Amino acid sequence: MLDLGIEKLALIGVVALIVIGPEKLPRVARTVGTLLGKAQRYVNDVKAEVNRSMELDELRKMKGTMEDAARDVEQSIHSGASELEKQFSGSGETLSALAEPEPAVPEYRHPRKNWRLKQGATPQWYKARNGVRTKALSGAARVARFRPHKIN
């Protein structure tokens, strides 16, 4: 932006101190700093806008080339398909006759498993020793099980 060295800045500061005076110098310096900040933000906004417009132009060009390539591929596919149709119509065979027969899909068979029967990997003796519940108890059965017994 501006090419100012340390000597030039010091000279400007001394001249400003003499011309403006020490009382008004901080307010003037604050105003100049604010204006410089606004100018830098404006320049950065302009640069960003120019960059965005250049990127949009590049994207538009890229879009055009991709559309052209897609059209070329589509035309080549259509031409290839029409050539195949001409060959098959000349030989008298159809595409379905040339296609391989579909393999037979196996029929579903029920596995005949009893999913209600739970088979755990923990042995019954371990469950009995450690007091693991193996059967569901009703509320009344649970109360009866833990009811204190009278000893006579």
Side-chain angles (χ1 to χ4, degrees), residues 65-132:
T65 57
M66 292 299 285
E67 287 175 349
D68 293 340
R71 275 192 226 103
D72 292 342
V73 169
E74 185 180 5
Q75 288 174 354
S76 65
I77 289 173
H78 283 300
S79 64
S82 63
E83 289 175 12
L84 281 175
E85 288 295 325
K86 287 178 186 176
Q87 288 177 356
F88 286 127
S89 64
S91 64
E93 297 176 355
T94 61
L95 288 175
S96 60
L98 292 176
E100 295 180 14
E102 293 184 23
V105 178
E107 190 175 320
Y108 174 73
R109 260 189 18 228
H110 192 274
R112 306 263 185 242
K113 291 183 179 178
N114 188 359
W115 58 270
R116 289 182 187 94
L117 184 65
K118 303 281 191 234
Q119 293 183 352
T122 310
Q124 290 296 327
W125 62 266
Y126 180 82
K127 290 180 183 179
R129 175 180 273 176
N130 291 315
V132 176

Side-chain angles (χ1 to χ4, degrees), residues 38-56:
K38 287 181 182 179
Q40 285 179 347
R41 282 192 294 273
Y42 179 74
V43 169
N44 287 339
D45 288 344
V46 170
K47 284 182 184 178
E49 187 65 32
V50 168
N51 287 338
R52 267 188 245 126
S53 64
M54 288 179 8
E55 288 175 2
L56 282 174

